[in-house]
Amino acid sequence: MVRLITHNLLACHAKDCNTNNFPLEFKDIQLEIREAEFNSDFLKGFMPKLEWKALVDTARQLGDTSLPLEQPEMVDDGFLKSLHHVLLEIHVEEGSMTCPNCKHVYPILNGIPNMLLAEHEIG
Amino acid sequence: MPLYLLHFAQAHNDFRLPELASVAELLGISYTLPEKDEDRDPTRPYMVVELETEEHAKMLARRCILIKAAYEFYAQGPSYEVLHEANRKCEPLWRKYVEDTSFKFLVTAYSHKIPMERQRDAIETFAYMGFLGKIDMKNPEITMVCFEEYKDRTQTPRQRNEGDGDFRQIFFGRLIEEGSARPLVRHFDVKKRLFYGNTSMEAEVSLLMANQSLASSPTFRYLANPGKLVYDPFMGTGSMAYPSAHFGAMVFGSDIDGRQMRGKQQTPGVVRAASQYGLASRIMDLAVFDITRNPLRCGELFDAILTDPPYGVRAGAKRLGRKKSLPEYKKELSRQHRLAPDPEDRPYIPPTKPYELSHLVTDLVLFARYVLKPGGRLVFFLPTVTDEYEEVDVQTMLCNGMEVIANSLQDFGSWGRRLVTIKKTTAEKYYPPTFEDREMVTKDEHVPAHKDFREKYFQGFRKVEIETPQVAFREG
C-alpha cells in the first residue's frame, strides 16, 4: 500500500509548514505491483481532485512514464488504463516520505505510512 | 400502488425504518408506509407497504439487512373470518394461479408454534380458493404463507400450545423473495474473521451502517463498483470497512494508533481480513494520523464517512498533545532530540492526551463537513446515557450545512448507542477546521448526555452530586 492515489492527497502538516509542503518525496522505497479492479467511474470522479504535476513527477521517479505531462481534456480508454495502473496498482510497501520544505520524514512500514507529528510540530 | 407484506427480523427495531428509507433512496424506490402508528410499529414483525412494482419488493429484500422476506399482500385481519372475507375480495390478484400452478401452502406464527392439527385445519379454511395445481413442498412455483402474529412472549415461560389461537393479527400473501442480504450477517461474522479486536463492531450493525451511508452500488452484482469512496477516521480493526467494500465502495482508513490496523504479522490485519472476503483491492490505503492533525491536502474527497469513534470504555479516544504542557526548557530538549535522533532509539511515539467525547463528536462533524463531498453522509455511533438523553443532544454537535436525517437507538439498558446519520446539505467550500481545545462549557450551553461518557460509565450511571470545589491546602 501507499498507492499513488493516496500519496497525491498527503501533504506535510507540521506547524508553520505551509508552502512547498507537497508532494512528499519518496526515499529508499520498495515497490510492489498488485492488480486492482478497473473502474472508469471511480477514476473519472477522482480526476478533478488530482494534483496532476505531482502525480506525473512521482510516477516518473518510480519509473512509470505512461502519463502525459498535461492532464488531457478528453479521456480515452488507453489513458484511463494508464491512470488506473499509476493510481491504484503501484504500492509503496517500505521506505519513507520526506517533506520538501521542513524535511520531516514520514516512515512507511508494511505499507502503512506514519503521518503523526512530533510534539514540537503541533501548534 | 399495490401492497406488499414485509417480514422483518426482530433485531435492531429502531434501525428498521431508517434502513428502509436509505435503501429505497439508494435504489430509487418510492414507498408508502401504513397510515396508522400501530401498523408501522417496529416492534411488530410484519408491515404492509405500498410499492410501485413487485420488482421493487425484490430489490428491497435483496438489500435490506433487516428484511427476512417480501410477499405479495393479499389479506389481513384479527380473525380468519375477516381475513377470508378480504381474501375473497382480492381474488383478481391470485386467480391466475388457480388453474395450473404448483404450490406450497404454509401456516406459521410469530412467537408461537401452532400445533400440526390446527395448521392443517387452518389450511383447510382456504379451500375456497380452489387451487387446482400440484402441491409441491420442494420446488413449488408459488408459496402462499399465512402468518399468525402473537404478542412477543419471549422470556415468559408457558405451557406447550398455551394461548394457541390467541393471535393479534393474521397476514396472508404470496412469497416473492427471501431476503438475501440477511445472510451477509453470517458471512461477515466477526468470530470467523481472520483479524479482529475486542472492540470490533458486530457484523449486523456494520452492515446496517454501510446501508445508511448510501455509498454503495445500486445494483446487486457483487463486483459492481459505483466508484464511491468511503473513509473511516477511527479505523481500528476495520469492521466498518468490509461491508462497505462488499457493497462496492473503495475504503480509506486512518487511526491515531496503527497497532489495531496492523496486527502482529507483516501484512496488516485489516488487509488480511479484507483478503478473506476478496476485498483487499478495495482498501484504498491505511494511514496513521490524528484527525485533529491530519495530512489531507484538500477537502470534498469522500462520499461517506462511516465510523465508530472510541468512546472511552474499552478504548479511549486520544489526540496529539500533552495533558500538561512541558516547561520551555524541556520542550527545547525534546525538539533538539527529534532533530538529531539517536539511531538506537525505538520508533518515536508522540505524546497523546484524552479526547473528551462531546468535543470529539463536534469536531468530527466539522471535519466531515470539510472532507465530505456535497450530499455526502456521516454515519457514526454515539454512546449516550439512556435516562439523560434528550433530542437536543444531537443538535448540539451540528454546524451549518450538516443535518441529521436518522437517529436510531441500540438500547443496552442504562446506556445505549445511537446510530446517527448526518447529511452534508451544503455545497459551500469550507476551510479545514482548526480543532482548537475547547474551554469548559458555559452555564447557558446545553450539556449533552454523552459528555464525559467514560466517567459516567464507570460510575455506573449514578447521578453524582456535584461537589463544590474545595480549596486545596498548600504545602508548607
Side-chain angles (χ1 to χ4, degrees):
Chain A
M1 297 216 268
V2 187
R3 310 192 207 204
L4 296 196
I5 188 173
T6 309
H7 174 262
N8 202 266
L9 297 177
L10 300 175
C12 181
H13 54 299
K15 185 174 70 161
D16 302 328
C17 184
N18 305 317
T19 53
N20 188 31
N21 58 349
F22 174 85
L24 303 172
E25 292 161 9
F26 280 123
K27 284 215 177 105
D28 308 321
I29 54 167
Q30 285 172 29
L31 290 184
E32 255 183 56
I33 305 295
R34 268 182 245 145
E35 216 174 294
E37 54 180 327
F38 177 79
N39 184 290
S40 57
D41 290 341
F42 181 78
L43 295 170
K44 285 178 197 159
F46 211 85
M47 276 178 58
K49 286 287 161 196
L50 290 170
E51 277 287 341
W52 191 255
K53 187 175 180 311
L55 180 68
V56 175
D57 289 352
T58 309
R60 292 190 177 205
Q61 278 167 29
L62 303 186
D64 189 300
T65 54
S66 62
L67 292 180
L69 283 174
E70 297 290 326
Q71 187 166 353
E73 304 249 321
M74 295 287 287
V75 295
D76 57 32
D77 275 2
F79 166 76
L80 285 175
K81 287 262 153 48
S82 305
L83 183 62
H84 167 73
H85 178 72
V86 169
L87 282 181
L88 296 168
E89 297 191 322
I90 302 176
H91 295 248
V92 178
E93 290 295 318
E94 302 289 331
S96 66
M97 297 183 286
T98 306
C99 170
N101 180 40
C102 75
K103 307 298 174 200
H104 181 113
V105 178
Y106 297 98
I108 300 168
L109 181 67
N110 295 333
I112 301 181
N114 183 345
M115 307 302 293
L116 291 175
L117 296 173
E119 201 173 0
H120 67 277
E121 292 168 321
I122 62 177
Chain B
M1 291 201 290
L3 293 169
Y4 296 89
L5 173 66
L6 300 179
H7 182 190
F8 288 96
Q10 285 310 103
H12 307 294
N13 296 338
D14 210 21
F15 295 60
R16 181 189 295 179
L17 296 181
E19 189 199 31
L20 188 63
S22 291
V23 172
E25 184 177 338
L26 176 73
L27 304 177
I29 290 174
S30 61
Y31 66 98
T32 312
L33 292 177
E35 261 173 40
K36 286 191 210 149
D37 277 348
E38 59 177 298
D39 294 332
R40 58 166 99 171
D41 177 358
T43 62
R44 299 177 64 182
Y46 310 107
M47 190 166 74
V48 180
V49 299
E50 282 179 54
L51 294 169
E52 279 166 15
T53 65
E54 186 168 317
E55 188 56 28
H56 286 179
K58 278 187 189 169
M59 289 162 76
L60 289 175
R62 287 178 196 159
R63 199 50 188 273
C64 289
I65 305 300
L66 295 177
I67 292 184
K68 286 175 108 168
Y71 300 81
E72 182 182 25
F73 174 76
Y74 291 154
Q76 65 169 307
S79 67
Y80 276 96
E81 289 72 43
V82 179
L83 178 92
H84 288 313
E85 199 186 320
N87 190 38
R88 283 197 169 92
K89 280 186 192 146
C90 72
E91 189 182 337
L93 291 177
W94 47 261
R95 190 189 290 141
K96 55 179 172 282
Y97 304 117
V98 169
E99 272 319 301
D100 190 22
T101 306
S102 67
F103 69 96
K104 175 163 119 180
F105 208 108
L106 295 173
V107 174
T108 176
Y110 168 72
S111 194
H112 179 65
K113 193 163 176 7
I114 310 172
M116 283 300 285
E117 211 173 297
R118 202 173 66 74
Q119 281 186 37
R120 269 199 305 274
D121 293 349
I123 292 175
E124 289 302 319
T125 64
F126 288 88
Y128 62 88
M129 291 175 81
F131 275 32
L132 299 168
K134 185 169 71 137
I135 297 174
D136 184 343
M137 297 309 279
K138 283 207 175 121
N139 289 306
E141 288 168 73
I142 60 164
T143 301
M144 318 286 281
V145 188
C146 174
F147 294 102
E148 294 182 0
E149 180 197 357
Y150 289 75
K151 267 204 323 232
D152 196 334
R153 297 181 295 184
T154 39
Q155 293 173 8
T156 40
R158 56 182 188 272
Q159 296 285 319
R160 194 186 167 88
N161 301 340
E162 184 186 318
D164 183 46
D166 194 9
F167 42 77
R168 175 177 183 176
Q169 192 79 339
I170 327 169
F171 297 87
F172 180 55
R174 175 182 60 87
L175 179 67
I176 294 172
E177 183 93 359
E178 301 264 9
S180 50
R182 202 151 173 77
L184 290 174
V185 174
R186 293 183 69 183
H187 178 70
F188 286 107
D189 187 359
V190 175
K191 280 181 276 180
K192 289 186 249 155
R193 200 173 289 163
L194 287 175
F195 176 74
Y196 59 89
N198 62 349
T199 58
S200 293
M201 177 68 72
E202 69 220 63
E204 183 165 9
V205 175
S206 54
L207 283 157
L208 286 168
M209 289 180 79
N211 266 348
Q212 280 301 102
S213 76
L214 295 192
S216 46
S217 165
T219 61
F220 306 103
R221 265 170 302 131
Y222 163 71
L223 284 172
N225 182 334
K228 297 281 173 83
L229 185 55
V230 169
Y231 174 36
D232 184 348
F234 302 99
M235 186 74 167
T237 54
S239 328
M240 307 291 118
Y242 314 120
S244 292
H246 175 83
F247 287 138
M250 286 286 268
V251 183
F252 177 67
S254 74
D255 205 305
I256 190 170
D257 186 343
R259 289 173 299 182
Q260 293 271 320
M261 299 188 289
R262 292 178 192 279
K264 288 184 176 165
Q265 297 175 24
Q266 188 174 1
T267 308
V270 170
V271 176
R272 282 189 284 131
S275 305
Q276 177 187 0
Y277 303 125
L279 300 169
S281 85
R282 295 212 179 132
I283 304 296
M284 183 175 106
D285 253 313
L286 304 169
V288 178
F289 60 81
D290 170 4
I291 63 160
T292 72
R293 308 280 174 191
N294 71 76
L296 297 174
R297 171 174 63 74
C298 59
E300 300 190 358
L301 287 169
F302 305 106
D303 296 282
I305 293 180
L306 220 69
T307 194
D308 181 27
Y311 42 84
V313 176
R314 280 179 291 185
K318 294 274 195 279
R319 58 182 295 187
L320 289 182
R322 225 180 253 275
K323 249 178 167 172
K324 276 185 188 163
S325 74
L326 290 178
E328 283 307 316
Y329 80 96
K330 277 199 176 170
K331 272 189 192 165
E332 181 55 25
L333 279 176
S334 137
R335 196 178 75 87
Q336 293 299 340
H337 185 73
R338 283 303 303 148
L339 292 178
D342 187 332
E344 294 296 300
D345 277 358
R346 286 159 170 270
Y348 170 72
I349 297 170
T352 55
K353 60 185 177 184
Y355 199 175
E356 196 276 315
L357 184 67
S358 67
H359 293 168
L360 178 151
V361 168
T362 312
D363 286 349
L364 177 63
V365 177
L366 280 167
F367 178 59
R369 181 174 68 172
Y370 173 63
V371 297
L372 282 177
K373 294 178 188 167
R377 286 180 166 199
L378 164 65
V379 182
F380 71 102
F381 263 111
L382 176 73
T384 186
V385 187
T386 308
D387 285 347
E388 294 175 29
Y389 174 80
E390 294 173 63
E391 204 61 39
V392 62
D393 286 2
V394 176
Q395 304 298 323
T396 58
M397 65 178 78
L398 296 181
C399 51
N400 280 339
M402 297 294 275
E403 282 175 26
V404 174
I405 55 172
N407 176 357
S408 317
L409 175 68
Q410 188 182 11
D411 197 343
F412 299 126
S414 54
W415 70 286
R417 53 184 188 187
R418 289 183 169 271
L419 183 63
V420 181
T421 307
I422 293 177
K423 184 177 176 181
K424 177 173 172 180
T425 54
T426 175
E428 208 168 309
K429 303 255 185 289
Y430 289 92
Y431 287 109
T434 54
F435 301 109
E436 275 156 20
D437 284 322
R438 276 188 196 75
E439 294 298 311
M440 295 290 287
V441 283
T442 57
K443 269 187 188 167
D444 313 333
E445 252 177 273
H446 173 78
V447 180
H450 54 266
K451 188 173 189 302
D452 299 318
F453 182 79
R454 179 191 163 83
E455 285 68 26
K456 290 174 184 166
Y457 183 92
F458 285 114
Q459 284 161 2
F461 302 108
R462 285 189 301 271
K463 291 250 186 254
V464 183
E465 294 288 317
I466 298 163
E467 290 174 28
T468 45
Q470 292 179 349
V471 182
F473 290 101
R474 289 203 188 127
E475 281 178 44

